[in-house]
Amino acid sequence: MPTVLITGASRGIGKGFADYYAAEGWRVIATARNPDGLAGEALPLDVTSDSSVTSLVDSLAGEPIDLLINNAGITGPRGSGVGNLDYDAWGEVLAVDAIAPIRVAAALADNVAKSERKLMVFISSMMGSIGQTHSSDSILYRSAKACLNQAVNVMSHDLKSRGIACVLFHPGWVRTDMGGAGAAIDVKTSIRGMTNVITRLGIKDNGRFINYDGFDIPW
Ligand SMILES: NC(=O)c1ccc[n+]([C@@H]2O[C@H](COP(=O)([O-])OP(=O)(O)OC[C@H]3O[C@@H](n4cnc5c(N)ncnc54)[C@H](OP(=O)(O)O)[C@@H]3O)[C@@H](O)[C@H]2O)c1
């Protein structure tokens, strides 16, 4: 039975991944800042905290993880632009969206390397694509996801030597607390699309940035 570990599994897309893989018969390790009430195997994880990440690694005791899904994310205050930038909030968005996924991936690289699938998925956003940005909105979030994209790109060259493939996804504009009620697709559609693609991923896909429907996204 393959094992998947998901960050930010308390709600939204992270919960969608947990429900999907549980229904498929995988061993699901759902992590959240507050894991109370989560179904199945649930462990506490604040992705921005070194000690929380270390406790998670210790409690896994070297067990293989086939698929690591770095999903946890925040947008920070919306509407920031030149003239009203909240630099403290920007630091928080960078900490959660760009630095934390690398921290978690580095800490769990040994667990992933000893698994069958050896796959790390990072939930980024189309809003992190520099080539697709023709807008002045969401500078905090867009820049944090662009930073994540480059950090994963660089890390993918490193982890490839251990047989690990790293792939970035845009999940679509999804109806969650973050995406809002007016978003284009529901969580099930996003998860169905991404899991269809994930099933076929291997080392040949290392370093790709993929839309939930399988099409590559320009950086
Ligand atoms: N929804 C969209 O349209 C959309 C589009 C593009 C990309 N994305 C990306 O998809 C991912 C999931 O988004 P979503 O729409 O499901 O958002 P969401 O409904 O707001 O859920 C965000 C999740 O991240 C967790 N989280 C936040 N900070 C955390 C931390 N420090 N440690 C651990 N967990 C933390 C939250 O946990 P708590 O419950 O503890 O707060 C929650 O489980 C994010 O990376 C987001 O940027 C979403």
mmCIF file of all heavy atoms in Angstrom, residues 95-129:
data_model
loop_
_atom_site.group_PDB
_atom_site.id
_atom_site.type_symbol
_atom_site.label_atom_id
_atom_site.label_comp_id
_atom_site.label_asym_id
_atom_site.label_seq_id
_atom_site.Cartn_x
_atom_site.Cartn_y
_atom_site.Cartn_z
ATOM 1 N N ALA A 95 7.274 32.963 4.126
ATOM 2 C CA ALA A 95 7.623 31.876 5.051
ATOM 3 C C ALA A 95 6.751 30.648 4.810
ATOM 4 O O ALA A 95 7.240 29.511 4.801
ATOM 5 C CB ALA A 95 7.478 32.355 6.499
ATOM 6 N N VAL A 96 5.436 30.865 4.606
ATOM 7 C CA VAL A 96 4.514 29.724 4.447
ATOM 8 C C VAL A 96 4.578 29.160 3.034
ATOM 9 O O VAL A 96 4.655 27.932 2.837
ATOM 10 C CB VAL A 96 3.058 30.142 4.773
ATOM 11 C CG1 VAL A 96 2.102 28.972 4.527
ATOM 12 C CG2 VAL A 96 2.939 30.632 6.209
ATOM 13 N N ASP A 97 4.541 30.036 2.027
ATOM 14 C CA ASP A 97 4.345 29.574 0.641
ATOM 15 C C ASP A 97 5.645 29.197 -0.067
ATOM 16 O O ASP A 97 5.629 28.368 -0.985
ATOM 17 C CB ASP A 97 3.643 30.665 -0.182
ATOM 18 C CG ASP A 97 2.177 30.845 0.215
ATOM 19 O OD1 ASP A 97 1.725 30.132 1.123
ATOM 20 O OD2 ASP A 97 1.499 31.700 -0.377
ATOM 21 N N ALA A 98 6.760 29.831 0.315
ATOM 22 C CA ALA A 98 8.004 29.590 -0.425
ATOM 23 C C ALA A 98 9.026 28.802 0.389
ATOM 24 O O ALA A 98 9.606 27.835 -0.117
ATOM 25 C CB ALA A 98 8.614 30.924 -0.866
ATOM 26 N N ILE A 99 9.238 29.204 1.648
ATOM 27 C CA ILE A 99 10.323 28.578 2.418
ATOM 28 C C ILE A 99 9.876 27.265 3.047
ATOM 29 O O ILE A 99 10.587 26.261 2.998
ATOM 30 C CB ILE A 99 10.847 29.562 3.499
ATOM 31 C CG1 ILE A 99 11.428 30.808 2.811
ATOM 32 C CG2 ILE A 99 11.897 28.901 4.383
ATOM 33 C CD1 ILE A 99 11.798 31.943 3.748
ATOM 34 N N ALA A 100 8.650 27.265 3.625
ATOM 35 C CA ALA A 100 8.195 26.075 4.350
ATOM 36 C C ALA A 100 8.141 24.807 3.484
ATOM 37 O O ALA A 100 8.558 23.737 3.948
ATOM 38 C CB ALA A 100 6.833 26.344 4.994
ATOM 39 N N PRO A 101 7.642 24.880 2.241
ATOM 40 C CA PRO A 101 7.602 23.638 1.448
ATOM 41 C C PRO A 101 8.993 23.040 1.218
ATOM 42 O O PRO A 101 9.143 21.813 1.163
ATOM 43 C CB PRO A 101 6.976 24.088 0.115
ATOM 44 C CG PRO A 101 6.226 25.334 0.442
ATOM 45 C CD PRO A 101 7.006 26.010 1.536
ATOM 46 N N ILE A 102 10.001 23.917 1.111
ATOM 47 C CA ILE A 102 11.375 23.417 0.920
ATOM 48 C C ILE A 102 11.876 22.808 2.233
ATOM 49 O O ILE A 102 12.516 21.756 2.256
ATOM 50 C CB ILE A 102 12.310 24.566 0.461
ATOM 51 C CG1 ILE A 102 11.754 25.229 -0.799
ATOM 52 C CG2 ILE A 102 13.724 24.041 0.236
ATOM 53 C CD1 ILE A 102 11.532 24.324 -1.991
ATOM 54 N N ARG A 103 11.541 23.464 3.353
ATOM 55 C CA ARG A 103 11.917 22.935 4.674
ATOM 56 C C ARG A 103 11.340 21.525 4.873
ATOM 57 O O ARG A 103 12.038 20.599 5.284
ATOM 58 C CB ARG A 103 11.359 23.865 5.769
ATOM 59 C CG ARG A 103 11.734 23.490 7.190
ATOM 60 C CD ARG A 103 10.772 24.117 8.208
ATOM 61 N NE ARG A 103 10.574 25.542 8.073
ATOM 62 C CZ ARG A 103 11.417 26.482 8.532
ATOM 63 N NH1 ARG A 103 12.488 26.136 9.169
ATOM 64 N NH2 ARG A 103 11.146 27.761 8.365
ATOM 65 N N VAL A 104 10.066 21.376 4.553
ATOM 66 C CA VAL A 104 9.391 20.073 4.723
ATOM 67 C C VAL A 104 9.995 19.034 3.769
ATOM 68 O O VAL A 104 10.269 17.896 4.156
ATOM 69 C CB VAL A 104 7.868 20.224 4.493
ATOM 70 C CG1 VAL A 104 7.183 18.866 4.460
ATOM 71 C CG2 VAL A 104 7.253 21.121 5.564
ATOM 72 N N ALA A 105 10.230 19.451 2.514
ATOM 73 C CA ALA A 105 10.778 18.522 1.514
ATOM 74 C C ALA A 105 12.175 18.053 1.920
ATOM 75 O O ALA A 105 12.495 16.855 1.830
ATOM 76 C CB ALA A 105 10.823 19.202 0.148
ATOM 77 N N ALA A 106 13.006 18.984 2.366
ATOM 78 C CA ALA A 106 14.370 18.624 2.762
ATOM 79 C C ALA A 106 14.345 17.674 3.957
ATOM 80 O O ALA A 106 15.100 16.705 4.015
ATOM 81 C CB ALA A 106 15.162 19.891 3.096
ATOM 82 N N ALA A 107 13.444 17.952 4.906
ATOM 83 C CA ALA A 107 13.373 17.126 6.116
ATOM 84 C C ALA A 107 12.878 15.717 5.819
ATOM 85 O O ALA A 107 13.235 14.762 6.523
ATOM 86 C CB ALA A 107 12.465 17.798 7.145
ATOM 87 N N LEU A 108 12.039 15.571 4.772
ATOM 88 C CA LEU A 108 11.440 14.262 4.476
ATOM 89 C C LEU A 108 12.089 13.585 3.257
ATOM 90 O O LEU A 108 11.599 12.538 2.801
ATOM 91 C CB LEU A 108 9.930 14.405 4.260
ATOM 92 C CG LEU A 108 9.129 14.814 5.505
ATOM 93 C CD1 LEU A 108 7.652 15.007 5.164
ATOM 94 C CD2 LEU A 108 9.278 13.764 6.612
ATOM 95 N N ALA A 109 13.183 14.160 2.749
ATOM 96 C CA ALA A 109 13.812 13.607 1.534
ATOM 97 C C ALA A 109 14.245 12.151 1.733
ATOM 98 O O ALA A 109 14.075 11.323 0.823
ATOM 99 C CB ALA A 109 14.998 14.472 1.112
ATOM 100 N N ASP A 110 14.769 11.817 2.916
ATOM 101 C CA ASP A 110 15.201 10.429 3.160
ATOM 102 C C ASP A 110 14.001 9.478 3.107
ATOM 103 O O ASP A 110 14.100 8.377 2.560
ATOM 104 C CB ASP A 110 15.868 10.302 4.540
ATOM 105 C CG ASP A 110 17.255 10.920 4.552
ATOM 106 O OD1 ASP A 110 17.798 11.198 3.455
ATOM 107 O OD2 ASP A 110 17.787 11.130 5.657
ATOM 108 N N ASN A 111 12.869 9.911 3.681
ATOM 109 C CA ASN A 111 11.664 9.064 3.678
ATOM 110 C C ASN A 111 11.172 8.833 2.256
ATOM 111 O O ASN A 111 10.765 7.728 1.886
ATOM 112 C CB ASN A 111 10.548 9.711 4.499
ATOM 113 C CG ASN A 111 10.954 9.959 5.938
ATOM 114 O OD1 ASN A 111 11.768 10.835 6.200
ATOM 115 N ND2 ASN A 111 10.420 9.191 6.864
ATOM 116 N N VAL A 112 11.203 9.896 1.441
ATOM 117 C CA VAL A 112 10.730 9.773 0.053
ATOM 118 C C VAL A 112 11.712 8.930 -0.759
ATOM 119 O O VAL A 112 11.310 8.073 -1.561
ATOM 120 C CB VAL A 112 10.523 11.169 -0.585
ATOM 121 C CG1 VAL A 112 10.141 11.054 -2.056
ATOM 122 C CG2 VAL A 112 9.455 11.949 0.176
ATOM 123 N N ALA A 113 13.017 9.116 -0.522
ATOM 124 C CA ALA A 113 14.041 8.392 -1.294
ATOM 125 C C ALA A 113 13.948 6.882 -1.092
ATOM 126 O O ALA A 113 14.302 6.117 -1.991
ATOM 127 C CB ALA A 113 15.432 8.884 -0.912
ATOM 128 N N LYS A 114 13.467 6.446 0.063
ATOM 129 C CA LYS A 114 13.407 4.992 0.302
ATOM 130 C C LYS A 114 12.062 4.376 -0.108
ATOM 131 O O LYS A 114 11.829 3.194 0.115
ATOM 132 C CB LYS A 114 13.762 4.665 1.753
ATOM 133 C CG LYS A 114 12.810 5.188 2.780
ATOM 134 C CD LYS A 114 13.054 4.561 4.150
ATOM 135 C CE LYS A 114 14.403 4.918 4.737
ATOM 136 N NZ LYS A 114 14.436 4.768 6.216
ATOM 137 N N SER A 115 11.182 5.170 -0.750
ATOM 138 C CA SER A 115 9.867 4.660 -1.172
ATOM 139 C C SER A 115 9.936 4.124 -2.602
ATOM 140 O O SER A 115 10.958 4.249 -3.275
ATOM 141 C CB SER A 115 8.821 5.781 -1.097
ATOM 142 O OG SER A 115 9.013 6.699 -2.159
ATOM 143 N N GLU A 116 8.808 3.550 -3.068
ATOM 144 C CA GLU A 116 8.710 3.054 -4.450
ATOM 145 C C GLU A 116 8.551 4.205 -5.435
ATOM 146 O O GLU A 116 9.228 4.277 -6.442
ATOM 147 C CB GLU A 116 7.482 2.141 -4.589
ATOM 148 C CG GLU A 116 7.570 0.812 -3.873
ATOM 149 C CD GLU A 116 8.373 -0.195 -4.678
ATOM 150 O OE1 GLU A 116 8.191 -0.253 -5.901
ATOM 151 O OE2 GLU A 116 9.191 -0.915 -4.059
ATOM 152 N N ARG A 117 7.594 5.139 -5.133
ATOM 153 C CA ARG A 117 7.236 6.178 -6.119
ATOM 154 C C ARG A 117 8.212 7.362 -6.147
ATOM 155 O O ARG A 117 8.409 7.977 -7.178
ATOM 156 C CB ARG A 117 5.817 6.710 -5.839
ATOM 157 C CG ARG A 117 4.677 5.760 -6.138
ATOM 158 C CD ARG A 117 4.491 5.487 -7.627
ATOM 159 N NE ARG A 117 4.489 6.652 -8.494
ATOM 160 C CZ ARG A 117 3.426 7.386 -8.812
ATOM 161 N NH1 ARG A 117 2.253 7.069 -8.311
ATOM 162 N NH2 ARG A 117 3.516 8.421 -9.610
ATOM 163 N N LYS A 118 8.730 7.732 -5.001
ATOM 164 C CA LYS A 118 9.738 8.820 -4.909
ATOM 165 C C LYS A 118 9.268 10.121 -5.583
ATOM 166 O O LYS A 118 9.925 10.665 -6.469
ATOM 167 C CB LYS A 118 11.071 8.390 -5.543
ATOM 168 C CG LYS A 118 11.751 7.211 -4.883
ATOM 169 C CD LYS A 118 13.080 6.955 -5.578
ATOM 170 C CE LYS A 118 13.852 5.790 -5.008
ATOM 171 N NZ LYS A 118 13.142 4.514 -4.928
ATOM 172 N N LEU A 119 8.131 10.618 -5.115
ATOM 173 C CA LEU A 119 7.533 11.776 -5.773
ATOM 174 C C LEU A 119 7.215 12.882 -4.762
ATOM 175 O O LEU A 119 6.626 12.609 -3.720
ATOM 176 C CB LEU A 119 6.250 11.312 -6.476
ATOM 177 C CG LEU A 119 5.539 12.287 -7.386
ATOM 178 C CD1 LEU A 119 6.448 12.767 -8.513
ATOM 179 C CD2 LEU A 119 4.307 11.592 -7.990
ATOM 180 N N MET A 120 7.612 14.125 -5.110
ATOM 181 C CA MET A 120 7.237 15.291 -4.300
ATOM 182 C C MET A 120 6.414 16.237 -5.175
ATOM 183 O O MET A 120 6.879 16.665 -6.238
ATOM 184 C CB MET A 120 8.475 16.041 -3.812
ATOM 185 C CG MET A 120 9.296 15.283 -2.786
ATOM 186 S SD MET A 120 10.606 16.378 -2.148
ATOM 187 C CE MET A 120 11.451 15.247 -1.028
ATOM 188 N N VAL A 121 5.212 16.556 -4.702
ATOM 189 C CA VAL A 121 4.315 17.481 -5.413
ATOM 190 C C VAL A 121 4.214 18.767 -4.589
ATOM 191 O O VAL A 121 4.066 18.714 -3.362
ATOM 192 C CB VAL A 121 2.929 16.828 -5.599
ATOM 193 C CG1 VAL A 121 1.857 17.864 -5.871
ATOM 194 C CG2 VAL A 121 2.983 15.800 -6.729
ATOM 195 N N PHE A 122 4.300 19.901 -5.265
ATOM 196 C CA PHE A 122 4.213 21.210 -4.609
ATOM 197 C C PHE A 122 3.036 21.963 -5.223
ATOM 198 O O PHE A 122 3.005 22.152 -6.438
ATOM 199 C CB PHE A 122 5.511 22.007 -4.825
ATOM 200 C CG PHE A 122 6.722 21.343 -4.228
ATOM 201 C CD1 PHE A 122 7.357 20.308 -4.897
ATOM 202 C CD2 PHE A 122 7.215 21.739 -2.995
ATOM 203 C CE1 PHE A 122 8.470 19.681 -4.352
ATOM 204 C CE2 PHE A 122 8.321 21.120 -2.428
ATOM 205 C CZ PHE A 122 8.947 20.083 -3.116
ATOM 206 N N ILE A 123 2.093 22.385 -4.379
ATOM 207 C CA ILE A 123 0.946 23.123 -4.901
ATOM 208 C C ILE A 123 1.332 24.603 -4.969
ATOM 209 O O ILE A 123 1.399 25.303 -3.953
ATOM 210 C CB ILE A 123 -0.315 22.911 -4.036
ATOM 211 C CG1 ILE A 123 -0.597 21.403 -3.872
ATOM 212 C CG2 ILE A 123 -1.501 23.612 -4.695
ATOM 213 C CD1 ILE A 123 -0.748 20.622 -5.164
ATOM 214 N N SER A 124 1.599 25.026 -6.183
ATOM 215 C CA SER A 124 1.961 26.413 -6.463
ATOM 216 C C SER A 124 0.718 27.134 -6.958
ATOM 217 O O SER A 124 -0.399 26.857 -6.504
ATOM 218 C CB SER A 124 3.093 26.437 -7.500
ATOM 219 O OG SER A 124 3.446 27.759 -7.814
ATOM 220 N N SER A 125 0.875 28.021 -7.908
ATOM 221 C CA SER A 125 -0.265 28.731 -8.499
ATOM 222 C C SER A 125 0.162 29.342 -9.824
ATOM 223 O O SER A 125 1.311 29.763 -9.981
ATOM 224 C CB SER A 125 -0.738 29.851 -7.566
ATOM 225 O OG SER A 125 -1.702 30.643 -8.230
ATOM 226 N N MET A 126 -0.801 29.408 -10.728
ATOM 227 C CA MET A 126 -0.602 30.154 -11.979
ATOM 228 C C MET A 126 -0.163 31.586 -11.667
ATOM 229 O O MET A 126 0.562 32.208 -12.446
ATOM 230 C CB MET A 126 -1.930 30.175 -12.740
ATOM 231 C CG MET A 126 -1.895 30.809 -14.081
ATOM 232 S SD MET A 126 -1.254 29.673 -15.292
ATOM 233 C CE MET A 126 -2.766 28.825 -15.776
ATOM 234 N N MET A 127 -0.597 32.086 -10.496
ATOM 235 C CA MET A 127 -0.264 33.472 -10.130
ATOM 236 C C MET A 127 1.234 33.636 -9.860
ATOM 237 O O MET A 127 1.727 34.759 -9.787
ATOM 238 C CB MET A 127 -1.094 33.926 -8.922
ATOM 239 C CG MET A 127 -2.568 34.083 -9.275
ATOM 240 S SD MET A 127 -3.590 34.486 -7.853
ATOM 241 C CE MET A 127 -3.283 36.242 -7.692
ATOM 242 N N GLY A 128 1.960 32.524 -9.726
ATOM 243 C CA GLY A 128 3.413 32.579 -9.570
ATOM 244 C C GLY A 128 4.149 32.554 -10.893
ATOM 245 O O GLY A 128 5.385 32.655 -10.916
ATOM 246 N N SER A 129 3.419 32.406 -11.993
ATOM 247 C CA SER A 129 4.049 32.407 -13.318
ATOM 248 C C SER A 129 4.353 33.842 -13.736
ATOM 249 O O SER A 129 3.439 34.663 -13.894
ATOM 250 C CB SER A 129 3.117 31.751 -14.349
ATOM 251 O OG SER A 129 3.550 32.084 -15.656
#
